[in-house]
Amino acid sequence: MFSTDQNVETIGQLVEVLKHYVGLQKEKLELDVVEKVVRLITVLTLTFVLSLLLLLALIYVSFAAAYALGDSFGMVGAFAMVAGFYLFIFLLMILFRKQWIERPVVKFLASLLFE
């Protein structure tokens, strides 16, 4: 096949279209990455704020429970019971960390990143 000016021009146009397409794909990838990073930062910030508020509420509820139990078991016994309850919850979290923490976090991150 002989090269003509029309063939060279068509190949040049094809190269330009391919360059434009690659540039658009690069921009799309950058925008996807930025969107996912922003969503991840938003979720982390929201989780931090809600966890902090929950922790503060839990402290007040713990003191209220200890003072309520203080009449029946004495103050030391009541605070020991509240502490024992939290140690029990802590042990449960350690035993079931894969089911309760790791798997949901991995599922969330996988759904976020592979969306």
Side-chain angles (χ1 to χ4, degrees), residues 26-105:
K26 180 183 171 193
E27 284 182 37
K28 180 184 180 292
L29 181 64
E30 289 172 355
L31 289 174
D32 284 345
V33 167
V34 167
E35 176 193 4
K36 289 176 185 188
V37 167
V38 166
R39 286 179 61 196
L40 186 61
I41 289 172
T42 302
V43 167
L44 289 174
T45 303
L46 185 62
T47 301
F48 174 74
V49 169
L50 292 177
S51 296
L52 184 65
L53 291 173
L54 180 65
L55 180 66
L56 290 172
L58 199 58
I59 289 170
Y60 281 107
V61 169
S62 298
F63 275 108
Y67 280 114
L69 291 172
D71 294 336
S72 301
F73 300 101
M75 290 309 269
V76 174
F79 277 97
M81 287 177 68
V82 171
F85 173 75
Y86 284 120
L87 286 175
F88 178 71
I89 297 296
F90 177 73
L91 290 175
L92 284 178
M93 293 296 278
I94 288 174
L95 291 174
F96 296 106
R97 70 183 174 272
K98 286 188 189 263
Q99 296 169 351
W100 293 350
I101 299 171
E102 289 178 15
R103 286 184 189 150
V105 169

